[in-house]
Amino acid sequence: MELSEIVKAAFEKAYPGEDFGGVRVVPATDPKFGDYQCNDALKFAKKAKANPREVGARVADALKGNDVFEKVEIAGPGFLNLTVSSAWLASRLADLNAADRCGIPQSGAGKCVVIDYSSPNAAKQMHIGHIRSTVIGSAIDRIFRSLGYRVVADNHLGDWGTQFGILIKGYRELLTQEERDNLTVANLEKCYVLSAAKAKEEDGLWKESCKQELVKLQQGDKENLALWKRFIDISIGEFDRMYAKLGVKFDTYRGESYYNDTMPGVVKKLQEMGLAVESEGALVVNLESEKLGVAIVRKSDGGYNYTTSDLACVKTRVEEYNPERIIYVTDARQQLHFKQWFSIAAKMGYTTKLVHVPFGLMSYQGKAISTREGNLIKLDELLAEAVKRSLAIVMSRRGTEGAPAPQPTEEDVKLAEAIGYGAVKYSDLSHDPITDIDFSWDKALALEGNSGPYLQYAYARVCSLVEKAGGTDGTSPLPKDVGFAVSTSSEKRLALQLLEFPGAVVRAAEAYKPSVLADYLFQTAQLYSTFYQSSPILKSEPEVRAARLRLCVLFGKVLSAGLGLLGIDTPRHI
Ligand code: ARG
């Protein structure tokens, strides 16, 4: 039984007939006071106008004879400080060890969630600014999947709009035949920049002809459509190359264009419902009463916009997947957009929970990233640099001093990829999404401190410890007849922390913050390190040695599962 339930039952025994639905046992804030605490005696005393210490005493009394707790103390104005028994702890560790998916509850079973993330604009190379939506979204995706949800990961590409008129015109007139034959996203980007510059020319001729290309595309002109399709395919091919490196997978790639045919119907419905009204030639939804301003749903030129497209998209997603919720991961500058259309969707009768997960800006090595400054680093380059730097670290640990540096093997490169990509991901995921972050190589690749490599090394070290314990003859270091047993305080701290893993995953999902899980893993690794330094393992007596090794193995399992949910690989040997 869960601790909360045990204590709740004690409340009920002490005060029959009362409702104690909300009773919670939480980890103690300070191990000095015990392992867990419960503050509900105070809450109940307030409600029942009773003396809180007396309530605490009665509950403590009701807990007597329970072999879960070794000690129950009433502190201050009625806090219950709980110390668990070693037998209970050992049996919970065994449960966790035996549980599938490290005990993560399958609370999402039978439910669907759509997660909309990464969603870059087509015909442009992904740059360092795209990393946040991709990495945060993918971690949320993995976390929800681990909870048993059916997840539809949808890449809502920006694949429609005026830029395609500019691109088509540029493609036809500004690219060489060779560039057209070997079209890459880099070429598309170049042709966009050149064409957009020409569209600013005073005579307005270029601009006009870009517009005509766009109109032709919108009207379904075969040639323009084929070109557009080619641009999109090339873009997706290029994006997929990044996703493969980052271990990110999507179920669907439905860009904005997917909803072109649905938008008119949505606008019609908004008009029929009296939600959208004409204003200066445009059609708008007034959200002033909610302090959300006015949202345009059809521009004065008859075109639709981002709001219309998201409304059409939610309609399709609800009809097709009937999701319990839809999660959108974008930068914080889009907050108003999401607030506006979430409000419109609610007025239209959508009851699906719509969640916007906004993230802050990212700077690079202390400098703001900006297109104008020309310091927009391509994601491809960032990832290549991550591997290069990680390979240097890997190789510095090989060979002997004085000898010429050995040539990296294929395995070394794989390892460098795991470390480099892991470092890039963790440097983002270890922060609350909403904060602005600075990417620094020193911090990301630090072997000490809160970094991806630090956690990966912790995992590799525990693997090699367990291997060493098995001896060269391969005998199992974990004799079957020795179970978990916890004796020292550092051992107990680690054990209690490991039991919190499923809870940390749940909290990360509830808050839409992979950082909750990252924090948990970092703390766990620190507790492991304290335990490792203070409690001898391999040199202990056989029983203690085996029990401690079991704890080490469980730590490795939890760490690897947790990092896996963040999309970070855990090589066994580094
Ligand atoms: N393409 C947009 C951008 O680059 C993000 C789209 C997010 N998803 C959505 N359904 N609005 O900012």
Side-chain angles (χ1 to χ4, degrees), residues 116-122 130 133 154-159 256 259 306 309-310 313 317 326-331 334 337-338 341 356:
D116 174 323
Y117 65 95
S118 195
S119 310
N121 293 331
H130 289 108
S133 177
D154 190 13
N155 196 336
H156 191 80
L157 300 169
D159 65 351
E256 290 175 25
Y259 307 98
Y306 196 31
S309 134
D310 264 327
C313 173
R317 285 175 177 166
I326 309 179
I327 302 169
Y328 300 83
V329 186
T330 82
D331 74 81
Q334 298 191 28
H337 164 73
F338 281 97
W341 83 257
H356 181 215

Side-chain angles (χ1 to χ4, degrees), residues 230-243:
R230 197 165 154 228
F231 297 168
I232 302 302
D233 288 347
I234 289 170
S235 306
I236 293 183
E238 178 74 20
F239 298 156
D240 275 346
R241 222 164 47 76
M242 300 305 127
Y243 297 142

Side-chain angles (χ1 to χ4, degrees), residues 323-385:
E324 184 228 12
R325 59 186 120 183
I326 309 179
I327 302 169
Y328 300 83
V329 186
T330 82
D331 74 81
R333 287 169 297 189
Q334 298 191 28
Q335 263 163 321
L336 179 64
H337 164 73
F338 281 97
K339 281 191 185 141
Q340 284 186 332
W341 83 257
F342 282 3
S343 161
I344 300 174
K347 291 188 204 317
M348 292 175 84
Y350 290 108
T351 50
T352 309
K353 192 164 163 189
L354 302 174
V355 183
H356 181 215
V357 179
F359 54 81
L361 295 175
M362 176 157 145
S363 53
Y364 177 75
Q365 303 268 62
K367 285 208 191 83
I369 304 166
S370 100
T371 325
R372 261 191 236 144
E373 309 255 322
N375 63 352
L376 211 57
I377 294 146
K378 310 247 170 2
L379 185 52
D380 211 7
E381 288 165 11
L382 182 91
L383 296 179
E385 178 81 17

Side-chain angles (χ1 to χ4, degrees), residues 287-345:
L287 301 165
E288 296 284 9
S289 63
E290 295 153 65
K291 298 206 165 54
L292 293 176
V294 166
I296 297 176
V297 291
R298 196 181 64 207
K299 295 184 283 183
S300 51
D301 66 3
Y304 301 113
N305 64 6
Y306 196 31
T307 303
T308 338
S309 134
D310 264 327
L311 286 169
C313 173
V314 78
K315 173 177 163 27
T316 306
R317 285 175 177 166
V318 167
E319 284 169 3
E320 193 163 332
Y321 306 115
N322 188 26
E324 184 228 12
R325 59 186 120 183
I326 309 179
I327 302 169
Y328 300 83
V329 186
T330 82
D331 74 81
R333 287 169 297 189
Q334 298 191 28
Q335 263 163 321
L336 179 64
H337 164 73
F338 281 97
K339 281 191 185 141
Q340 284 186 332
W341 83 257
F342 282 3
S343 161
I344 300 174

